[in-house]
Amino acid sequence: EQPYLTPQRIRILGIGGAVVLVIALAIWFTITAGQRKQAYAATALEQCRDAAAQANFGVAVQCYTQLARNFSGTPSAYEATLGVAQTHLVAGQNELAITGLVEFLRSNPPPEAASPANSLLGTAYENVGKFAEAEGAYRKASDLATVEYLKASDLLDAGRAAHGAKK
């Protein structure tokens, strides 16, 4: 009778164990790389926000733009795109904000980013006197909002814009 662990079986088990180990390491690396990417993006986002808070708008826009490009697909990249628009609005550059937000919304971002983007777009349209477009943007923001008070706030903004359009 032959023993169960023959040299051939030991070799097959060793190869199988090595393959399982390589697959487990690849999965671990992928998960931790994604977590590190988001952590780096969050740190960079804070630096951009600091520049904007100090009214250093040029540096803030450049920082946000670079972050959105380098960390695309992360929540921080979406926030950076919104940060560019907010900075343009604060600096009185409404047309730049409109252009950037329309382009961003064409990329079909998730609702968590699309709702505030539409709300900012409504603000920019109101600032340039395009009240009908503002109303539409606010209504879209309300439809996409995942929190009830944001839905209500966007609907109030839509009502204000609609009133402005009738004047």
Side-chain angles (χ1 to χ4, degrees):
E1 182 174 312
Q2 288 189 0
Y4 180 75
L5 290 176
T6 63
Q8 183 179 6
R9 286 184 179 163
I10 291 174
R11 187 173 41 243
I12 290 172
L13 287 173
I15 292 170
V19 168
V20 167
L21 179 64
V22 167
I23 290 172
L25 285 173
I27 291 170
W28 171 81
F29 179 77
T30 302
I31 290 170
T32 58
Q35 291 170 342
R36 281 191 307 271
K37 180 179 180 181
Q38 179 54 29
Y40 292 141
T43 300
L45 183 62
E46 284 306 312
Q47 293 170 348
C48 299
R49 287 179 177 155
D50 288 344
Q54 296 169 7
N56 198 344
F57 299 135
V59 171
V61 168
Q62 183 179 13
C63 181
Y64 283 133
T65 303
Q66 184 178 4
L67 191 154
R69 189 178 328 113
N70 292 345
F71 297 100
S72 65
T74 65
S76 292
Y78 293 130
E79 287 186 48
T81 303
L82 297 175
V84 170
Q86 288 171 330
T87 304
H88 285 312
L89 288 173
V90 170
Q93 300 170 329
N94 293 297
E95 292 298 335
L96 286 174
I98 291 169
T99 302
L101 288 166
V102 167
E103 183 179 316
F104 174 64
L105 289 167
R106 282 189 190 134
S107 72
N108 200 24
E112 297 81 24
S115 177
N118 275 293
S119 186
L120 288 171
L121 183 59
T123 301
Y125 279 141
E126 271 191 287
N127 289 346
V128 296
K130 296 181 178 180
F131 296 104
E133 290 89 341
E135 178 186 1
Y138 286 132
R139 287 189 184 279
K140 180 79 171 178
S142 177
D143 291 343
L144 294 170
T146 56
V147 181
E148 293 302 316
Y149 79 88
L150 290 175
K151 288 179 183 277
S153 177
D154 288 328
L155 285 176
L156 287 171
D157 291 338
R160 183 186 63 242
H163 181 72
K166 291 179 182 177
K167 288 186 177 182

